[in-house]
Amino acid sequence: MNVQASIAILGVNPYVLLTESQLQMLFKQAGRDKGPIPIKVTINKQDFVQNLVKYKSKWRLYLNMPMRKAAGKGVGDTIKLSVKFDPQERVTEMHPKLKAALDKHKKAKAKFESLPASRQKEIKRYIGFLKSDEAIEKNINRAINFLLEKERFIGRDKP
């Protein structure tokens, strides 16, 4: 479906709102109206994978920097894009060094496996997006300590 909307901002996060009829169409395609709705967004012939999420009682399509760059638009501008439900399963792979660390620390691994899938994904994504070996090692150690309830990690006090 084609969408034309004004780019708003919440904190530092630019987003657009879809109309109620557009939301209902996506909910019907997804078979649900709760939790993140996986979608594909096309902007100027470039495809992006994104989630439609509900926050502060509104369903928001957050626009990351590559999406805004493709559109050549910023906050306050009107953007044209195409949105469709994406039935493709999204799997967040675990960084091999995180897997090795969890295998080494059985208590931390047990705690990790007891976490909700969303929290596991949050940890895997955080580690997975790090670039330098130094940052990866440092944050894996922090994740293990977090799972052992020794320190904060990713803005959280306890798992």
Side-chain angles (χ1 to χ4, degrees), residues 45-157:
K45 299 182 182 176
Q46 291 185 41
D47 292 328
F48 301 92
V49 176
Q50 189 63 289
N51 285 318
L52 183 66
V53 295
K54 191 170 188 178
Y55 182 69
K56 291 193 174 188
S57 75
K58 292 184 182 178
W59 284 92
R60 301 169 195 271
L61 170 55
Y62 288 99
L63 304 174
N64 59 32
M65 181 60 79
M67 295 167 81
R68 294 191 317 277
K69 194 172 186 177
K73 303 286 184 180
V75 175
D77 294 335
T78 298
I79 188 172
K80 292 181 183 180
L81 43 91
S82 174
V83 177
K84 65 181 178 180
F85 171 66
D86 183 10
Q88 192 74 15
E89 184 179 352
R90 300 190 182 158
V91 177
T92 303
E93 298 295 331
M94 184 179 295
H95 193 286
K97 289 183 178 181
L98 177 58
K99 183 180 182 332
L102 289 172
D103 287 343
K104 182 179 174 183
H105 300 277
K106 301 298 182 200
K107 276 183 145 177
K109 183 176 184 174
K111 186 64 175 181
F112 180 82
E113 290 172 348
S114 74
L115 295 175
S118 60
R119 184 67 46 83
Q120 290 180 25
K121 180 180 177 181
E122 184 178 22
I123 293 170
K124 290 190 296 187
R125 284 185 62 172
Y126 187 87
I127 301 294
F129 283 123
L130 296 171
K131 302 294 181 210
S132 73
D133 286 338
E134 180 182 330
I136 293 167
E137 293 293 333
K138 174 183 167 190
N139 283 282
I140 287 174
N141 288 332
R142 290 183 64 217
I144 296 297
N145 284 334
F146 168 73
L147 293 166
L148 297 173
E149 299 184 6
K150 293 181 179 179
E151 71 176 276
R152 289 175 51 94
F153 183 62
I154 52 177
R156 307 212 184 268
D157 287 324

